[in-house]
Amino acid sequence: MGEVVMGRQRPGTPTLEEVAARAGVGRGTVSRVINNAAGVKDSTRRAVQRAIAELGYVPNLAARSLAGRRADAVALAMTEQDWRLFGEPFFAETVRAVSDALTDTGMQLLLTLVRTAAERQRFVEYARGGRVDGALLMSVRADDPLPDMLAEAGLPTVLLGRRSGDECVTYVDADNVGGARAAVAHLLDGGRSRIATITGPLDMYVAQCRLRGYREALDRAGIRSRSSWEAESDFTEESGRRAMAELLERHPDIDGVFAASDTTAAGALAALRAAGRRVPGDVAVIGFDDFPLAQRTDPRLTTVRQPLEEIGRALVRLLLEEMEQPAVAWRHVILRTELVLRDSAP
């Protein structure tokens, strides 16, 4: 279902093997030194410590498992600054998917909010203290340094989504560009030609990708995209309602809408209803996510399905692998999406 892309070697990240080679010892000896285990000669210990200092090696906290001192806990850190957004379906569905994926591992899932610089530093220190074996991060924005701080601390870390196209931390993501492109192509195939979009917050890469898919679909159809047909939201229902009202003021002849989330699509449906527009008769609407909300809207929402269960399994699998054997290259997993047809754009 997905594509795994091996990235470049993490810059400036020496490996346990490189430390062992520099010290002239085996990998197991380096692990014993890191974990302060007995049975290592003082001269050998000093050689390993010297190699660690010379290379700038940061011991990965997963190495504690070699000495049986793992915390058996994984942190799911949510970095969204606006606490109100935690009531949106995306967060609840993601927590459920990750929790289900951890069920048979024996690992405890710890939820934490990391919204400010102080909370960010506090979480890094908490992780450095060995209280968690790895971290999953969600809703990370473009300028958030938390993934890099955790990587520097040696904590295995996997992102849900990514900060940019040049992400250098392991991540799992959906094919946001392809999903958006398929949604808009469906509207075009249905005879819609005046298609607007309600984006997510454009300081998030996921929103940029869905906007790119919208523009690419129009471009392939020979329709030049214009910014006046695009309105930004923050992925909430209320912002979707406002964005749809703005778009109707600019372009009363809209006949199709691609919304970058199901919640914004639900807001768009409310605004269209208030404006006396029939869906899908006057305006066809497509969302993105396929949360349970999509089947409760009136009319039921055509949407792009993210495989959240598969995303949850991939996040946990990659994190456990990094905890057991830190990778020298970051890994990128992109999972396919699926267009689900319902009443709002049959």
Side-chain angles (χ1 to χ4, degrees), residues 142-177:
D143 59 351
D144 195 331
L146 180 59
D148 305 313
M149 294 169 69
L150 293 173
E152 290 169 6
L155 186 74
T157 301
V158 181
L159 306 184
L160 171 52
R162 45 192 152 151
R163 292 169 293 177
S164 73
D166 297 321
E167 183 59 71
C168 58
V169 175
T170 293
Y171 68 75
V172 178
D173 205 355
D175 181 8
N176 292 294
V177 175

Side-chain angles (χ1 to χ4, degrees), residues 33 58 84 104 128 144 186 188 261 277-278 321 324 335:
V33 172
V58 179
R84 293 172 298 177
D104 298 326
R128 281 185 184 276
D144 195 331
H186 177 71
L188 291 164
S261 76
R277 307 299 174 89
R278 296 171 299 128
E321 289 175 359
E324 294 303 323
L335 299 172

Side-chain angles (χ1 to χ4, degrees), residues 13-256:
T13 307
T15 66
L16 202 68
E17 288 76 9
E18 290 172 328
V19 173
R22 175 67 67 93
V25 299
R27 185 179 185 280
T29 299
V30 176
S31 296
R32 288 195 295 275
V33 172
I34 289 171
N35 288 285
N36 294 316
V40 181
K41 292 192 302 182
D42 287 344
S43 59
T44 301
R45 189 180 299 276
R46 286 195 297 272
V48 171
Q49 291 170 341
R50 187 164 54 249
I52 287 173
E54 290 172 353
L55 291 172
Y57 175 73
V58 179
N60 192 298
L61 296 182
R64 291 180 295 107
S65 64
L66 297 173
R69 295 199 300 274
R70 248 184 15 196
D72 290 328
V74 169
L76 176 58
M78 295 178 271
T79 62
E80 179 56 60
Q81 293 186 358
D82 188 346
W83 64 268
R84 293 172 298 177
L85 296 182
F86 295 118
E88 297 298 322
F90 172 74
F91 293 95
E93 292 297 318
T94 300
V95 171
R96 180 185 60 78
V98 170
S99 179
D100 287 348
L102 280 170
T103 297
D104 298 326
T105 68
M107 305 288 290
Q108 181 70 35
L109 179 63
L110 306 178
L111 300 180
T112 184
L113 307 183
V114 184
R115 299 162 297 179
T116 66
E119 290 177 347
R120 191 180 299 124
Q121 188 60 46
R122 191 158 56 243
F123 178 64
V124 172
E125 293 304 319
Y126 182 86
R128 281 185 184 276
R131 296 178 178 89
V132 294
D133 299 308
L136 301 170
L137 306 184
M138 60 187 293
S139 195
V140 181
R141 296 184 182 245
D143 59 351
D144 195 331
L146 180 59
D148 305 313
M149 294 169 69
L150 293 173
E152 290 169 6
L155 186 74
T157 301
V158 181
L159 306 184
L160 171 52
R162 45 192 152 151
R163 292 169 293 177
S164 73
D166 297 321
E167 183 59 71
C168 58
V169 175
T170 293
Y171 68 75
V172 178
D173 205 355
D175 181 8
N176 292 294
V177 175
R181 195 167 51 228
V184 178
H186 177 71
L187 292 172
L188 291 164
D189 290 344
R192 313 290 172 159
S193 59
R194 299 178 299 280
I195 302 170
T197 186
I198 300 174
T199 76
L202 292 175
D203 61 344
M204 297 185 71
Y205 191 63
V206 59
Q208 297 169 25
C209 288
R210 293 176 189 178
L211 176 58
R212 188 163 88 236
Y214 161 82
R215 290 172 174 172
E216 286 182 3
L218 293 182
D219 183 63
R220 291 182 182 187
I223 300 172
R224 186 163 65 90
S225 61
R226 295 181 174 85
S227 60
S228 65
W229 291 81
E230 302 165 0
E232 187 173 354
S233 80
D234 60 11
F235 282 144
T236 64
E237 185 168 344
E238 179 55 36
S239 67
R241 183 183 291 110
R242 288 196 303 269
M244 188 72 252
E246 292 171 11
L247 287 166
L248 285 171
E249 284 185 13
R250 296 180 208 159
H251 302 286
D253 57 343
I254 284 173
D255 62 7

